[in-house]
Amino acid sequence: EEEVHDHSSELPVYLFQTDDVVLHGFEAQLAWQATDELKATFLADYVRARLKDGGDLPRTPPLRFGTQFSYETSRLSAHLDIIRYQQQDRIAEFESVTDGYTLVDASVSYDLPIANQDIALYLKGSNLTDTEARVHSSFLKDIAPRPGRSFALGIRGYF
């Protein structure tokens, strides 16, 4: 009598192997210092990863582009980041398409003049639009998306 084994609750086993690949891509960043306090940065990056014998390389990040705006004085700094991740549909066997998403983050920090110490009061907001975001290069993308909207208020000290 043949014994049946159910391994569905066990961890998956992966076998990785190397192969010849062809990579094409770019990374670009343009910074514009509009005033002494205001700076705008525009960025983009992309990689096209193919197996030399045909097919797409797994877990390749999609096209990403965005802007970062910064306002900084001697005591105050404020930042707004807007980054777009395009859909990744150039996928390998056993992968699934990852939808595109846009993340919006903002932060404000104010340096406090307390007893000659480097102390700052800050407020930070992440994923302000509460977008469901899944990182294509993550092994856990289907079960663990990026965190939703969050806020942090705190005091930071440098010693």
Side-chain angles (χ1 to χ4, degrees):
E1 177 177 322
E2 186 176 314
E3 189 176 335
V4 177
H5 297 283
D6 179 17
H7 299 286
S8 63
S9 64
E10 296 177 10
L11 294 174
V13 176
Y14 295 99
L15 174 64
F16 294 93
Q17 64 186 38
T18 61
D19 208 341
D20 292 331
V21 298
V22 177
L23 301 173
H24 293 94
F26 68 89
E27 182 174 341
Q29 184 174 10
L30 174 67
W32 176 46
Q33 191 75 44
T35 68
D36 288 343
E37 296 84 17
L38 184 61
K39 178 181 177 182
T41 303
F42 307 93
L43 57 99
D45 55 49
Y46 175 73
V47 64
R48 176 71 175 103
R50 297 185 314 264
L51 296 169
K52 192 171 186 179
D53 294 332
D56 294 301
L57 205 60
R59 283 177 301 289
T60 303
L63 170 66
R64 177 179 75 145
F65 56 90
T67 58
Q68 300 171 327
F69 298 101
S70 299
Y71 180 83
E72 296 191 17
T73 65
S74 61
R75 293 208 185 275
L76 177 72
S77 66
H79 303 277
L80 174 65
D81 299 344
I82 305 168
I83 308 293
R84 172 69 187 171
Y85 296 79
Q86 291 294 92
Q87 173 181 294
Q88 182 55 289
D89 57 4
R90 295 182 180 208
I91 55 175
E93 189 176 5
F94 306 116
E95 278 191 306
S96 60
V97 171
T98 303
D99 291 336
Y101 54 91
T102 302
L103 293 180
V104 179
D105 300 331
S107 64
V108 176
S109 178
Y110 185 76
D111 293 335
L112 301 170
I114 299 174
N116 292 329
Q117 296 295 318
D118 290 332
I119 297 176
L121 178 65
Y122 68 89
L123 173 63
K124 181 178 181 181
S126 299
N127 193 0
L128 294 176
T129 58
D130 200 27
T131 298
E132 182 177 312
R134 297 185 182 271
V135 179
H136 185 76
S137 58
S138 170
F139 283 98
L140 304 174
K141 78 166 187 151
D142 292 324
I143 59 174
R146 291 185 62 145
R149 181 184 304 121
S150 67
F151 296 95
L153 175 64
I155 297 175
R156 179 176 37 242
Y158 301 97
F159 303 97

